CSV table of all heavy atoms in Angstrom, one decimal:
chain,number,residue,atom,x,y,z
A,1368,VAL,N,114.5,122.3,81.5
A,1368,VAL,CA,114.3,120.9,81.2
A,1368,VAL,C,113.1,120.3,81.8
A,1368,VAL,O,113.0,120.2,83.0
A,1368,VAL,CB,115.5,120.0,81.4
A,1368,VAL,CG1,115.2,118.5,81.0
A,1368,VAL,CG2,116.8,120.5,80.7
A,1369,PRO,N,112.0,120.0,81.1
A,1369,PRO,CA,110.8,119.5,81.7
A,1369,PRO,C,111.1,118.1,82.4
A,1369,PRO,O,111.8,117.2,81.8
A,1369,PRO,CB,109.8,119.4,80.6
A,1369,PRO,CG,110.6,119.2,79.4
A,1369,PRO,CD,111.8,120.0,79.6
A,1370,PRO,N,110.5,117.9,83.5
A,1370,PRO,CA,110.8,116.6,84.2
A,1370,PRO,C,110.2,115.4,83.4
A,1370,PRO,O,109.1,115.6,82.7
A,1370,PRO,CB,110.1,116.7,85.6
A,1370,PRO,CG,109.1,117.8,85.4
A,1370,PRO,CD,109.6,118.8,84.3
A,1371,LYS,N,110.9,114.4,83.5
A,1371,LYS,CA,110.3,113.1,82.8
A,1371,LYS,C,109.6,112.2,83.7
A,1371,LYS,O,108.8,111.3,83.2
A,1371,LYS,CB,111.6,112.4,82.2
A,1371,LYS,CG,112.3,113.1,81.2
A,1371,LYS,CD,113.5,112.3,80.7
A,1371,LYS,CE,114.3,113.1,79.8
A,1371,LYS,NZ,115.7,112.3,79.4
A,1372,TYR,N,109.7,112.4,85.0
A,1372,TYR,CA,109.0,111.6,85.9
A,1372,TYR,C,107.5,111.8,86.0
A,1372,TYR,O,107.0,112.8,85.7
A,1372,TYR,CB,109.6,111.8,87.4
A,1372,TYR,CG,109.6,113.2,87.8
A,1372,TYR,CD1,108.5,113.8,88.2
A,1372,TYR,CD2,110.8,113.9,87.9
A,1372,TYR,CE1,108.5,115.1,88.9
A,1372,TYR,CE2,110.9,115.2,88.4
A,1372,TYR,CZ,109.7,115.8,88.8
A,1372,TYR,OH,109.7,117.1,89.4
A,1373,ASP,N,106.8,110.8,86.5
A,1373,ASP,CA,105.4,110.9,86.7
A,1373,ASP,C,105.1,111.8,88.0
A,1373,ASP,O,105.7,111.5,89.1
A,1373,ASP,CB,104.7,109.6,86.8
A,1373,ASP,CG,103.2,109.6,87.1
A,1373,ASP,OD1,102.5,109.7,86.1
A,1373,ASP,OD2,102.8,109.5,88.3
A,1374,ARG,N,104.2,112.8,87.8
A,1374,ARG,CA,104.0,113.7,88.9
A,1374,ARG,C,103.5,112.9,90.2
A,1374,ARG,O,103.9,113.3,91.3
A,1374,ARG,CB,103.1,114.8,88.6
A,1374,ARG,CG,103.7,115.8,87.6
A,1374,ARG,CD,102.8,116.9,87.3
A,1374,ARG,NE,103.3,117.9,86.3
A,1374,ARG,CZ,104.2,118.8,86.7
A,1374,ARG,NH1,104.5,119.1,87.9
A,1374,ARG,NH2,104.7,119.6,85.7
A,1375,ASP,N,102.6,112.0,90.0
A,1375,ASP,CA,102.1,111.2,91.2
A,1375,ASP,C,103.1,110.4,91.9
A,1375,ASP,O,103.2,110.4,93.0
A,1375,ASP,CB,100.9,110.4,90.7
A,1375,ASP,CG,99.5,111.3,90.4
A,1375,ASP,OD1,99.5,112.4,90.7
A,1375,ASP,OD2,98.8,110.6,89.6
A,1376,GLU,N,103.9,109.8,91.0
A,1376,GLU,CA,105.0,109.0,91.6
A,1376,GLU,C,106.0,109.8,92.4
A,1376,GLU,O,106.6,109.5,93.4
A,1376,GLU,CB,105.7,108.2,90.5
A,1376,GLU,CG,104.9,107.1,89.9
A,1376,GLU,CD,105.7,106.4,88.8
A,1376,GLU,OE1,106.9,106.7,88.6
A,1376,GLU,OE2,105.1,105.5,88.0
A,1377,HIS,N,106.3,111.1,91.8
A,1377,HIS,CA,107.1,112.0,92.4
A,1377,HIS,C,106.6,112.4,93.7
A,1377,HIS,O,107.4,112.5,94.7
A,1377,HIS,CB,107.4,113.2,91.5
A,1377,HIS,CG,108.3,114.3,92.1
A,1377,HIS,ND1,107.7,115.4,92.7
A,1377,HIS,CD2,109.6,114.3,92.2
A,1377,HIS,CE1,108.8,116.2,93.2
A,1377,HIS,NE2,110.0,115.6,92.8
A,1378,ARG,N,105.4,112.7,93.8
A,1378,ARG,CA,104.8,113.2,95.0
A,1378,ARG,C,104.8,112.2,96.1
A,1378,ARG,O,105.1,112.4,97.3
A,1378,ARG,CB,103.3,113.5,94.7
A,1378,ARG,CG,102.5,114.1,96.0
A,1378,ARG,CD,101.1,114.2,95.8
A,1378,ARG,NE,100.5,112.8,95.6
A,1378,ARG,CZ,99.7,112.5,94.6
A,1378,ARG,NH1,99.4,113.4,93.7
A,1378,ARG,NH2,99.3,111.2,94.4
A,1379,ASP,N,104.5,110.9,95.6
A,1379,ASP,CA,104.5,109.7,96.7
A,1379,ASP,C,106.0,109.5,97.2
A,1379,ASP,O,106.1,109.2,98.3
A,1379,ASP,CB,103.9,108.6,96.0
A,1379,ASP,CG,102.6,108.6,95.7
A,1379,ASP,OD1,101.9,109.5,96.2
A,1379,ASP,OD2,102.0,107.9,94.9
A,1380,ALA,N,106.9,109.6,96.2
A,1380,ALA,CA,108.4,109.4,96.6
A,1380,ALA,C,108.8,110.5,97.6
A,1380,ALA,O,109.6,110.1,98.6
A,1380,ALA,CB,109.3,109.5,95.4
A,1381,VAL,N,108.5,111.8,97.3
A,1381,VAL,CA,108.8,112.8,98.3
A,1381,VAL,C,108.2,112.6,99.7
A,1381,VAL,O,108.8,112.8,100.7
A,1381,VAL,CB,108.4,114.2,97.7
A,1381,VAL,CG1,108.6,115.3,98.7
A,1381,VAL,CG2,109.2,114.6,96.5
A,1382,SER,N,106.9,112.2,99.6
A,1382,SER,CA,106.2,112.0,100.8
A,1382,SER,C,106.8,110.8,101.7
A,1382,SER,O,107.0,110.8,102.9
A,1382,SER,CB,104.8,111.6,100.7
A,1382,SER,OG,104.0,111.3,101.8
A,1383,ASP,N,107.3,109.7,101.0
A,1383,ASP,CA,107.9,108.5,101.5
A,1383,ASP,C,109.3,109.0,102.1
A,1383,ASP,O,109.7,108.6,103.3
A,1383,ASP,CB,108.1,107.5,100.5
A,1383,ASP,CG,108.8,106.3,101.2
A,1383,ASP,OD1,108.3,105.6,102.1
A,1383,ASP,OD2,110.0,106.1,100.7
A,1384,LEU,N,110.1,109.8,101.4
A,1384,LEU,CA,111.4,110.1,101.8
A,1384,LEU,C,111.2,111.1,103.1
A,1384,LEU,O,112.0,111.0,104.2
A,1384,LEU,CB,112.2,110.9,100.8
A,1384,LEU,CG,113.5,111.4,101.1
A,1384,LEU,CD1,114.4,110.3,101.6
A,1384,LEU,CD2,114.2,112.1,99.9
A,1385,TRP,N,110.2,112.0,103.0
A,1385,TRP,CA,110.0,112.9,104.2
A,1385,TRP,C,109.7,112.0,105.5
A,1385,TRP,O,110.2,112.4,106.6
A,1385,TRP,CB,108.9,113.9,103.9
A,1385,TRP,CG,108.4,114.7,105.0
A,1385,TRP,CD1,107.3,114.5,105.9
A,1385,TRP,CD2,109.1,115.9,105.5
A,1385,TRP,NE1,107.3,115.3,106.8
A,1385,TRP,CE2,108.5,116.2,106.8
A,1385,TRP,CE3,110.3,116.5,105.3
A,1385,TRP,CZ2,108.7,117.3,107.5
A,1385,TRP,CZ3,110.7,117.6,106.1
A,1385,TRP,CH2,109.9,118.0,107.1
A,1386,GLN,N,108.8,111.0,105.3
A,1386,GLN,CA,108.4,110.2,106.4
A,1386,GLN,C,109.6,109.5,107.0
A,1386,GLN,O,109.8,109.4,108.3
A,1386,GLN,CB,107.4,109.3,106.1
A,1386,GLN,CG,105.9,110.0,105.8
A,1386,GLN,CD,104.9,109.0,105.2
A,1386,GLN,OE1,105.2,107.8,105.4
A,1386,GLN,NE2,103.8,109.5,104.7
A,1387,ARG,N,110.5,109.0,106.2
A,1387,ARG,CA,111.7,108.4,106.7
A,1387,ARG,C,112.6,109.2,107.3
A,1387,ARG,O,113.2,108.8,108.3
A,1387,ARG,CB,112.4,107.6,105.5
A,1387,ARG,CG,111.6,106.4,105.0
A,1387,ARG,CD,112.5,105.6,104.0
A,1387,ARG,NE,112.4,106.2,102.7
A,1387,ARG,CZ,113.5,106.4,101.9
A,1387,ARG,NH1,114.7,105.9,102.4
A,1387,ARG,NH2,113.5,106.9,100.8
A,1388,ILE,N,112.9,110.5,106.8
A,1388,ILE,CA,113.8,111.4,107.4
A,1388,ILE,C,113.1,111.9,108.7
A,1388,ILE,O,113.8,112.0,109.8
A,1388,ILE,CB,113.9,112.6,106.4
A,1388,ILE,CG1,114.9,112.2,105.3
A,1388,ILE,CG2,114.5,113.8,107.2
A,1388,ILE,CD1,115.1,113.3,104.3
A,1389,ALA,N,111.8,112.0,108.8
A,1389,ALA,CA,111.1,112.5,109.9
A,1389,ALA,C,111.2,111.5,111.1
A,1389,ALA,O,111.5,111.9,112.2
A,1389,ALA,CB,109.6,112.8,109.6
A,1390,ALA,N,111.0,110.3,110.7
A,1390,ALA,CA,111.1,109.2,111.7
A,1390,ALA,C,112.6,109.1,112.2
A,1390,ALA,O,112.9,108.9,113.4
A,1390,ALA,CB,110.8,107.8,111.1
A,1391,TYR,N,113.5,109.2,111.4
A,1391,TYR,CA,114.9,109.2,111.9
A,1391,TYR,C,115.3,110.4,112.7
A,1391,TYR,O,115.9,110.3,113.7
A,1391,TYR,CB,115.9,109.2,110.6
A,1391,TYR,CG,117.4,109.3,110.9
A,1391,TYR,CD1,118.0,108.2,111.4
A,1391,TYR,CD2,118.1,110.3,110.7
A,1391,TYR,CE1,119.4,108.1,111.7
A,1391,TYR,CE2,119.5,110.4,111.0
A,1391,TYR,CZ,120.1,109.3,111.5
A,1391,TYR,OH,121.4,109.4,111.8
A,1392,CYS,N,114.8,111.6,112.3
A,1392,CYS,CA,115.1,112.8,113.1
A,1392,CYS,C,114.4,112.6,114.5
A,1392,CYS,O,115.0,113.0,115.6
A,1392,CYS,CB,114.6,114.0,112.4
A,1392,CYS,SG,115.7,114.5,110.9
A,1393,GLU,N,113.2,112.2,114.4
A,1393,GLU,CA,112.4,112.2,115.6
A,1393,GLU,C,113.1,111.1,116.6
A,1393,GLU,O,112.9,111.3,117.9
A,1393,GLU,CB,111.0,111.8,115.5
A,1393,GLU,CG,110.3,113.1,114.9
A,1393,GLU,CD,109.0,112.7,114.3
A,1393,GLU,OE1,108.5,111.6,114.3
A,1393,GLU,OE2,108.3,113.6,113.6
A,1394,SER,N,113.8,110.1,116.1
A,1394,SER,CA,114.4,109.2,117.0
A,1394,SER,C,115.6,109.8,117.7
A,1394,SER,O,116.1,109.3,118.7
A,1394,SER,CB,114.8,108.0,116.2
A,1394,SER,OG,115.9,108.3,115.3
A,1395,MET,N,116.1,110.9,117.0
A,1395,MET,CA,117.2,111.6,117.7
A,1395,MET,C,116.8,112.9,118.3
A,1395,MET,O,117.6,113.6,118.8
A,1395,MET,CB,118.1,112.0,116.6
A,1395,MET,CG,118.8,110.9,115.8
A,1395,MET,SD,120.0,111.4,114.5
A,1395,MET,CE,121.3,112.2,115.5
A,1396,ASP,N,115.4,113.1,118.5
A,1396,ASP,CA,114.9,114.2,119.2
A,1396,ASP,C,115.1,115.5,118.4
A,1396,ASP,O,115.4,116.5,119.0
A,1396,ASP,CB,115.5,114.3,120.7
A,1396,ASP,CG,114.6,115.1,121.6
A,1396,ASP,OD1,113.4,115.2,121.3
A,1396,ASP,OD2,115.1,115.6,122.6
A,1397,ILE,N,115.0,115.4,117.2
A,1397,ILE,CA,115.3,116.5,116.3
A,1397,ILE,C,114.0,116.8,115.5
A,1397,ILE,O,113.5,115.9,115.0
A,1397,ILE,CB,116.5,116.4,115.3
A,1397,ILE,CG1,117.8,116.2,116.1
A,1397,ILE,CG2,116.6,117.4,114.2
A,1397,ILE,CD1,119.0,115.9,115.2
A,1398,ASN,N,113.6,118.0,115.3
A,1398,ASN,CA,112.5,118.4,114.4
A,1398,ASN,C,113.0,118.4,113.1
A,1398,ASN,O,114.0,119.1,112.7
A,1398,ASN,CB,112.0,119.8,114.8
A,1398,ASN,CG,110.6,120.0,114.2
A,1398,ASN,OD1,110.5,120.0,112.9
A,1398,ASN,ND2,109.6,120.4,115.0
A,1399,PRO,N,112.3,117.5,112.2
A,1399,PRO,CA,112.8,117.4,110.8
A,1399,PRO,C,112.9,118.6,110.0
A,1399,PRO,O,113.5,118.9,109.1
A,1399,PRO,CB,111.9,116.4,110.2
A,1399,PRO,CG,110.7,116.3,111.1
A,1399,PRO,CD,111.2,116.6,112.4
A,1400,SER,N,111.8,119.6,110.4
A,1400,SER,CA,111.8,120.9,109.7
A,1400,SER,C,113.0,121.7,109.9
A,1400,SER,O,113.3,122.7,109.2
A,1400,SER,CB,110.6,121.6,110.2
A,1400,SER,OG,109.4,121.0,109.8
A,1401,ALA,N,113.8,121.4,111.0
A,1401,ALA,CA,115.1,122.2,111.2
A,1401,ALA,C,116.1,121.6,110.3
A,1401,ALA,O,117.3,122.3,110.2
A,1401,ALA,CB,115.5,121.9,112.7
A,1402,ILE,N,115.9,120.6,109.6
A,1402,ILE,CA,116.9,119.9,108.8
A,1402,ILE,C,116.6,120.2,107.3
A,1402,ILE,O,117.4,120.5,106.5
A,1402,ILE,CB,117.0,118.4,108.9
A,1402,ILE,CG1,117.3,118.1,110.5
A,1402,ILE,CG2,118.0,117.8,108.1
A,1402,ILE,CD1,118.5,118.7,111.0
A,1403,THR,N,115.3,120.1,106.8
A,1403,THR,CA,115.0,120.1,105.5
A,1403,THR,C,113.6,120.5,105.4
A,1403,THR,O,112.8,120.7,106.3
A,1403,THR,CB,115.3,118.8,104.7
A,1403,THR,OG1,115.2,119.1,103.3
A,1403,THR,CG2,114.5,117.6,105.1
A,1404,SER,N,113.0,120.5,104.1
A,1404,SER,CA,111.5,120.7,103.8
A,1404,SER,C,111.2,119.9,102.7
A,1404,SER,O,112.0,119.4,101.8
A,1404,SER,CB,111.4,122.2,103.4
A,1404,SER,OG,112.1,122.5,102.1
A,1405,LYS,N,109.9,119.7,102.5
A,1405,LYS,CA,109.4,118.8,101.4
A,1405,LYS,C,109.6,119.4,100.0
A,1405,LYS,O,109.9,118.8,99.0
A,1405,LYS,CB,107.8,118.6,101.6
A,1405,LYS,CG,107.5,117.6,102.6
A,1405,LYS,CD,106.0,117.3,102.5
A,1405,LYS,CE,105.6,116.3,103.6
A,1405,LYS,NZ,104.1,116.0,103.5
A,1406,ARG,N,109.8,120.8,100.0
A,1406,ARG,CA,110.1,121.5,98.7
A,1406,ARG,C,111.6,121.2,98.3
A,1406,ARG,O,111.8,120.8,97.1
A,1406,ARG,CB,110.0,123.0,98.9
A,1406,ARG,CG,110.3,123.7,97.6
A,1406,ARG,CD,110.0,125.2,97.8
A,1406,ARG,NE,110.2,126.0,96.5
A,1406,ARG,CZ,109.9,127.3,96.4
A,1406,ARG,NH1,109.4,127.9,97.4
A,1406,ARG,NH2,110.2,127.8,95.2
């Protein structure tokens, strides 16, 4: 099923979510890459 979302909006949303997860993990002294990935 081809995605309906706009690719640029998707990229920006992924980047925003990654930054929020990274900030949260770093506040706990956790490397976010040990939790998830942008993919």
